[in-house]
């Protein structure tokens, strides 16, 4: 080894030891007769001292070392006169006896500091330098710890880590597949998996009743911020279980992660029906770190002459504690916010319940004090509170009010990233109406089982059928979801029919699974957690990119290795492919 | 949970407990008043008893259950009168009180037994049924244990599990890439990684000095038996190390696996130079479970009038202990073996050192007793031994004799799959002459560092340059290999030049890596183990397919899901691709 210790290891108890360290030059300072160098590696920083009086040649050599040079130093551990209490090695320094330059470095294009001067683009191009910075090092270390802790927990629970294939079959259902031309099977293609869904179900049929995998998945979708074409899932499946068993198991995993990784004890997760989540939070992933639940007001607001409310399908509001002194300008800002095209509300009604007990509202004209008192009473408002009300078509207005609620939560400091409020959202609808294609599609995926008591509704009112499907939501972020699956050929056929598959299409694409259901398929269900997302949540960050060693940018490019890129005609010829040049 | 216990769990101490089990009907037997059913799950088999006298309806129901039906049974644990000592649950049975059929099963296309009646093709199509059989269940359980044991060992040694991307850049060097068309980047392609080689090196540049990953890799090669287009590696890299440190670390991992998984204590691994491996075993992966080292004989055989030996570049033989009584027929068989086209020897010379001390040889005509004595002495042969000799061009004859040695090892019972003889083969050549292309290519890969003392030879005698490269070989199977890498831009450029890259090609394909070497790249090296292979070795099998949940066949097809397959023209249009139909 080119070192006896790491740069984060030596303490006051190591004094007088002769040691060898290797690492990068973080910074150096010349103070007349002495030169100090901070030597950095993944484990920490150790101060090196070079003495011009006693080791002139060595000291001169040290003065020539630039930032990010890789060196090996040999020397004696000594007590520092000027101790640095901020770092674990701050009580000692190395009196250097010898240095070897292991590699030189050009001046890095940005500073390797916690707060760097490098822009996003530049840091992506030199990702290997950006990864040297503390925040990214900590992010990847956290990811490693999350992975091994998850694995050991699931191993102890009897789960087998079973690898499923990456070269699978393209199916038009769901998101767009990446496809992979096969050379040995002319004109045919594999697809990269969007998830190992059908394979994990086949493993249940095969009797492996507890399966997990931390696995890459692929979707060729247009990338919004924080979507990656390849992403990682903690993918799990269990047989001989009911929904409750799965929620228990993976609540257990999540609690274990909180305890092991963050030293936090979290209460049992509350559960909320999808319909309540929509009704009270306007979202299937409510942030329950704070209340501010929706209060519906139609009965109190109608027939008072305010046409907008009278004509609205839903009049619904939230209460912002203690904000009755919001200025005209602040209220206008909120109105502008909800009117933004991506939110789309027409306007915002407020009621200030002033500290002196009086009311001030943007709809004073239509509602007298008694009316306003009734409304604010329903919110259990106190003097000093502010009521914000939106109205319109139910689904839309709920989504709008969700945005406003989250904004008010931010303003009131209710969304502390160091507070964690997990929640199971359950009883999702089985089907979702797809306006564009004029048909239902599966809200979760086509293998999700309807609740037995709702199966009859499939024929009469498909949109009302509830599924045995659930999501884990933490702080308003969807961490993952799952369902109890169909394990019966006839029911699976029925589902495909309702999703608009012809019998031939269903058989061609998923025949292998329906066949498997005829050979003793056990009841089963599972869950998949977004590993990038839960890791970034644990890290207290919104950006999953910081938690991926080599992410792609919003165009799906890796700008460091400059890919995707052209391939040779010879490669295409072998694959029997031609590229079509864009016409313009 | 649809069970209180698994089918492998109940013991004599559980008697009188009311339990619920779920599983598959392995077999059932009607014995007049009683019906017995063996219920199976991943954990074992439990006997169920149905009594016609006391529970006629239930018993009749039980008699209708077919093989592989999935049932739930409730009943009382009772002591068996007729105990089965072969299974851990053999002392008890369940007196059934109730059964629920969870799913029916068609008659499986082959028996779900240790020795099944199903052919390879059929079992691949119904892989989910084949996976129910004990040998495959044990194989996947072993694989899971190998993985988690490896992970925990490396975690304790400070390795970070860091995921590298699957959508990377195609490089013509090495094996053929699978490519993935990009929709968002018109006419451009990603490639699936043949290994995370360059990324793990970039992680070393980034300061993550101990990296590992258990990761899928992809090669679009024509498949020989037991090659898969996607395969799994234990991929590792370390910085600030020398070759010795890496050998120590991964010898430690291997020893740990032997101990934890197989309960075996193995001695420190011997090391052998590549040149010795070739000279004494004719292979870079010698099976050292047995000796039978090559003995070179040119000096003893020449100028005796036997033209074949006189003209041969190498005359070399092995000694087969105690086989001097091999018959003419047996010797002819061996001659036929080495003459097979895939081995390619012209003939085989034998010397029988008979038990009575006399000699009998196929070349008696040329060599007298004294000559033969000298030859057999060199082998340290005893009366009763058989000497087998080949001759010809050095490289070819060594390969031929390697095949013969392995065959004789088999015949003599020296190749016991329960004996493990690991070996490090070191000092591989850096370059290998490629006849077809008339140039050198990298024996390991282009990032392998030459031994410093051999760098000068690059210009004068490139074939002689030795690399800091090493393979782990166990029982003649190459488990993995690695090398100390180049970490210097100039040396890497020189390597690419010797591999026939123009400067532009090198920059276009590997510029990112060479750039990274200019920003403080530390000395580093690593190793990759074939995970499929080491697992099958530990399982005592030659077939890696049994250790992969969903393998592909020799045409790269998954016959269960029937892929690769056609994709729609719409998918191709989005990707700006046309397929070229075969002309005939």
């Amino acid at each position: 080894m080119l070192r006896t210790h790491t740069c984060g290891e030596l303490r006051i108890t190591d004094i007088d030891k002769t040691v060898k360290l290797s690492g990068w030059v973080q910074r150096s300072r010349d103070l007349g007769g002495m030169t100090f160098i901070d030597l950095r590696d993944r484990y920490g920083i150790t101060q090196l001292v070079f003495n011009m009086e006693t080791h002139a040649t060595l000291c001169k050599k040290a003065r020539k070392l630039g930032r990010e040079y890789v060196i090996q130093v040999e020397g004696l551990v000594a007590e520092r006169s000027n101790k640095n209490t901020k770092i674990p090695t701050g009580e000692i320094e190395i009196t250097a006896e010898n240095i070897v330059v292991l590699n030189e470095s050009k001046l890095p294009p940005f500073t390797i500091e916690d707060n760097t001067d490098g822009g996003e683009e530049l840091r992506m191009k030199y990702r290997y330098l950006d990864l040297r910075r503390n925040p990214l090092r900590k992010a990847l270390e956290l990811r490693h710890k999350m992975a091994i802790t998850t694995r050991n927990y699931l191993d102890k629970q009897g789960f087998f880590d079973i690898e499923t294939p990456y070269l699978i079959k393209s199916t038009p259902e769901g998101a767009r597949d990446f496809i992979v031309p096969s050379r040995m099977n002319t004109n045919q293609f594999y697809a990269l998996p969007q998830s190992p869904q059908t394979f994990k179900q086949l493993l249940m049929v095969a009797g492996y009743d507890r399966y997990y995998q931390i696995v890459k998945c692929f979707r060729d979708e247009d990338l919004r911020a924080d979507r990656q074409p390849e992403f990682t899932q903690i993918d799990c499946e269990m047989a001989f279980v009911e929904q409750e068993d799965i929620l228990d198991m993976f609540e257990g995993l999540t609690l274990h992660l909180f305890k092991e990784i963050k030293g936090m004890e979290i209460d049992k997760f509350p559960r909320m029906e999808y319909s309540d989540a929509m009704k009270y939070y306007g979202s299937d992933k409510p942030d329950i770190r704070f209340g501010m639940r929706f209060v519906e007001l139609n009965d109190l607001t109608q027939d008072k002459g305010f046409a907008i409310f009278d004509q609205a399908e839903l009049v619904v509001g939230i209460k912002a504690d203690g904000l009755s002194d919001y200025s005209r300008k602040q209220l206008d800002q909120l109105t502008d916010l909800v009117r933004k095209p991506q939110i789309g509300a027409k306007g915002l009604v407020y009621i200030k319940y002033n500290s002196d007990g009086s009311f001030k509202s943007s709809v004073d004209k239509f509602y007298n004090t008694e009316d306003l008192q009734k409304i604010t009473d329903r919110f259990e408002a106190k003097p000093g509170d502010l009521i914000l009300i939106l109205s319109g078509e139910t689904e839309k207005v709920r989504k709008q009010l969700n945005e406003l609620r989250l904004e008010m939560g931010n303003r009131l400091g209710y969304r502390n990233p160091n507070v964690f409020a997990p929640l199971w959202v359950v009883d999702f609808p089985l089907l979702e109406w797809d306006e564009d294609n004029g048909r239902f599609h599966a809200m979760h995926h086509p293998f999700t089982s309807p609740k037995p008591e709702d199966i009859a509704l499939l024929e009469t009112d498909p949109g009302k059928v509830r599924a045995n499907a659930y999501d884990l939501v933490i702080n308003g972020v969807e961490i993952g979801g799952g369902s109890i699956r169909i394990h019966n050929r006839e029911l699976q056929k029925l589902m495909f029919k309702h999703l608009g598959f012809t019998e031939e299409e269903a058989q061609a694409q998923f025949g292998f699974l329906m066949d498997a259901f005829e050979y003793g398929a056990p009841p089963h269900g599972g869950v998949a957690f977004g590993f990038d997302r839960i890791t970034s949540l644990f890290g207290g960050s919104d950006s999953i990119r910081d938690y991926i060693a080599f992410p792609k940018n919003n165009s799906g490019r890796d700008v460091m290795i400059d890919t995707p890129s052209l391939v040779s005609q010879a490669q295409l010829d072998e694959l029997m492919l031609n590229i079509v040049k864009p016409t313009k």
Side-chain angles (χ1 to χ4, degrees), chain A:
Chain A
M1 298 284 271
L2 304 183
R3 64 190 176 203
T4 56
H5 297 77
T6 71
C7 296
E9 197 173 348
L10 294 167
R11 298 288 182 276
I12 194 91
T13 46
D14 294 305
I15 276 174
D16 288 339
K17 278 186 192 162
T18 297
V19 298
K20 211 185 270 181
L21 302 185
S22 290
W24 286 263
V25 173
Q26 176 74 27
R27 69 178 67 79
S28 66
R29 303 178 299 286
D30 291 332
L31 303 179
M34 311 283 262
T35 291
F36 295 92
I37 286 180
D38 282 353
L39 191 68
R40 187 198 72 231
D41 66 12
R42 174 186 126 190
Y43 308 88
I45 280 183
T46 298
Q47 176 166 293
L48 315 179
V49 198
F50 299 84
N51 191 323
M52 190 57 118
E53 271 181 42
T54 59
H55 295 74
T57 316
L58 185 66
C59 194
K60 280 179 197 158
K61 194 170 170 189
R63 286 182 181 182
K64 287 192 190 133
L65 300 174
R67 279 207 282 134
E68 300 305 315
Y69 271 48
V70 189
I71 63 167
Q72 184 189 43
V73 61
E74 210 172 333
L76 213 63
V77 184
E79 185 166 2
R80 273 167 80 160
S81 51
N82 194 0
K83 290 182 182 171
N84 179 349
T85 55
K86 286 183 198 149
I87 58 172
T89 60
E91 294 195 278
I92 59 96
E93 63 191 8
I94 310 295
T95 311
E97 304 283 346
N98 190 29
I99 49 175
V100 178
V101 177
L102 297 172
N103 214 341
E104 300 187 354
S105 176
K106 295 207 293 196
L107 193 69
F110 50 85
T111 54
I112 312 296
E113 304 278 355
D114 288 10
N115 292 307
T116 178
D117 58 356
E120 171 89 10
E121 184 88 11
L122 196 63
R123 286 187 290 116
M124 287 284 272
K125 180 165 161 58
Y126 295 92
R127 184 71 174 177
Y128 46 88
L129 296 180
D130 204 23
L131 285 170
R132 286 185 191 165
R133 296 192 309 113
N134 261 323
L136 272 78
R137 185 187 55 71
K138 282 185 192 157
L140 292 197
E141 182 165 7
L142 173 66
R143 187 177 178 110
H144 163 69
K145 281 188 186 160
M146 296 283 284
I148 192 82
T149 307
T150 298
R151 290 179 187 284
N152 280 313
Y153 182 85
L154 293 174
D155 177 60
K156 285 210 177 60
Q157 300 292 332
F159 285 76
F160 281 178
D161 176 4
I162 302 178
E163 293 167 64
T164 51
Y166 278 86
L167 297 173
I168 67 164
K169 187 171 182 162
S170 187
T171 54
E173 178 69 8
R176 201 184 281 104
D177 286 323
F178 282 105
I179 60 173
V180 182
S182 166
R183 182 180 51 88
M184 289 207 285
N185 299 270
T186 307
N187 296 163
Q188 300 192 4
F189 294 79
Y190 302 101
L192 299 179
Q194 295 182 29
S195 93
Q197 183 61 34
T198 51
F199 289 96
K200 68 178 176 176
Q201 292 192 241
L202 290 174
L203 286 172
M204 295 306 109
V205 177
Y208 296 76
D209 55 4
R210 295 185 168 198
Y211 143 92
Y212 93 95
Q213 204 181 177
I214 299 184
V215 63
K216 274 278 173 77
C217 301
F218 304 86
R219 275 183 207 171
D220 187 11
E221 290 299 303
D222 298 318
L223 303 174
R224 289 178 273 151
D226 250 22
R227 278 274 188 114
Q228 290 280 320
E230 49 177 311
F231 55 98
T232 306
Q233 280 187 188
I234 305 175
D235 191 56
C236 306
E237 197 80 1
M238 300 172 77
F240 302 119
V241 291
E242 292 164 304
Q243 176 167 316
E244 201 59 25
D245 302 313
I246 294 182
L247 300 191
D248 276 352
M249 177 63 73
F250 294 98
E251 184 165 325
L253 168 63
T254 313
L255 290 170
H256 182 73
L257 288 172
F258 274 118
K259 193 168 170 191
E260 293 294 312
I261 306 284
K262 302 197 71 78
M264 294 175 100
E265 300 274 357
I266 304 261
D267 286 341
K268 208 170 152 44
F269 302 175
R271 303 197 180 167
M272 191 184 294
E273 286 178 17
Y274 171 88
S275 56
D276 282 347
M278 297 312 290
K279 183 179 169 82
Y280 296 116
Y281 299 91
S283 166
D284 60 359
K285 41 178 193 279
D287 183 350
I288 59 161
R289 277 174 296 184
F290 62 108
M292 216 186 272
R293 284 162 60 115
F294 294 4
V295 173
E296 298 187 355
L297 303 167
N298 292 53
D299 58 325
L300 298 179
T301 57
Q302 70 189 0
D303 301 333
K304 302 286 180 176
F306 185 40
I308 288 173
F309 279 3
D310 285 349
Q311 287 154 19
E313 192 182 0
L314 181 66
V315 180
V316 60
I318 53 174
K319 175 187 67 168
D321 289 327
L323 294 191
S324 72
D325 55 357
Y326 250 34
S327 66
R328 180 82 224 171
K329 197 177 153 198
Q330 285 172 304
L331 289 164
D332 285 349
Q333 275 176 352
L334 291 183
T335 308
D336 290 346
L337 175 82
V338 297
R339 276 181 167 159
K340 274 190 195 170
Q342 61 268 43
I343 299 185
K346 295 223 176 62
L348 172 68
V349 167
Y350 68 82
I351 304 172
K352 290 179 172 184
Y353 191 174
N354 296 318
S355 314
D356 61 7
S358 68
F359 295 103
K360 172 78 190 102
S361 167
S362 52
V363 288
D364 282 346
K365 207 178 337 175
F366 305 105
Y367 301 96
N368 61 26
T369 301
E370 193 187 340
D371 296 331
L372 296 175
Q373 187 71 55
K374 276 190 191 152
I375 292 172
T376 53
D377 280 354
R378 183 167 289 175
F379 284 94
E380 299 179 14
K382 304 170 308 299
D385 291 347
L386 173 69
I387 307 292
L388 299 167
I389 302 172
L390 297 178
S391 64
E393 206 180 299
T394 302
E395 242 180 80
K396 284 185 186 160
V397 77
R398 283 177 173 167
K399 280 187 189 156
Q400 293 156 4
L401 191 59
N402 167 51
E403 299 290 340
L404 184 61
R405 174 179 175 272
L406 294 177
E407 169 64 20
M408 299 315 293
N410 283 334
R411 290 185 179 208
L412 286 162
Y414 292 156
R415 305 185 74 197
N416 179 349
N418 298 314
V419 170
F420 294 90
L423 167 73
W424 286 111
V425 178
V426 299
D427 294 356
F428 273 76
L430 183 71
L431 302 167
E432 204 172 24
W433 182 251
D434 178 347
E435 286 289 356
D436 297 342
N437 298 303
R439 63 175 181 87
F440 282 103
H441 69 242
M443 195 155 189
H444 194 60
H445 55 53
F447 315 107
T448 299
S449 70
K451 283 191 180 286
E453 61 268 33
D454 290 2
I455 288 180
L457 289 171
L458 267 175
E459 295 293 344
T460 56
D461 193 354
K464 278 270 185 320
V465 179
R466 290 166 308 157
N468 279 320
Y470 33 81
D471 274 358
L472 175 62
V473 174
I474 305 181
N475 295 1
V477 175
E478 184 201 322
I479 293 303
S483 64
I484 299 295
R485 327 297 185 186
I486 297 167
H487 64 281
N488 172 288
R489 184 184 184 104
E490 287 313 310
L491 185 55
Q492 189 65 67
K493 269 179 73 174
L494 188 66
M495 264 303 283
F496 283 129
K497 193 189 108 190
H498 282 287
L499 295 170
F501 286 65
T502 67
E503 222 167 292
E504 292 68 33
E505 285 167 349
Q507 186 61 33
Q509 287 168 39
F510 298 109
F512 62 96
L513 186 65
M514 291 194 291
D515 290 349
F517 287 169
E518 293 192 300
Y519 289 101
H524 61 284
V527 81
F529 283 0
F531 187 57
D532 307 307
R533 199 160 295 283
I534 193 170
T535 303
S536 66
L537 181 93
F538 269 63
S541 165
D542 288 335
S543 163
I544 62 168
R545 255 186 226 175
D546 289 348
Y547 294 80
I548 296 171
F550 299 102
K552 305 247 182 324
N553 73 8
N554 280 349
S555 315
R557 295 198 68 79
D558 181 328
V559 296
M560 177 185 69
I561 64 170
D562 190 24
T563 204
S565 50
L566 303 175
V567 296
S568 68
Q569 189 58 44
Q571 275 175 292
L572 296 173
D573 288 346
E574 275 197 319
L575 296 167
M576 305 288 278
L577 282 180
N578 273 337
I579 58 173
V580 181
K581 296 276 183 194
T583 44
K584 51 166 188 174

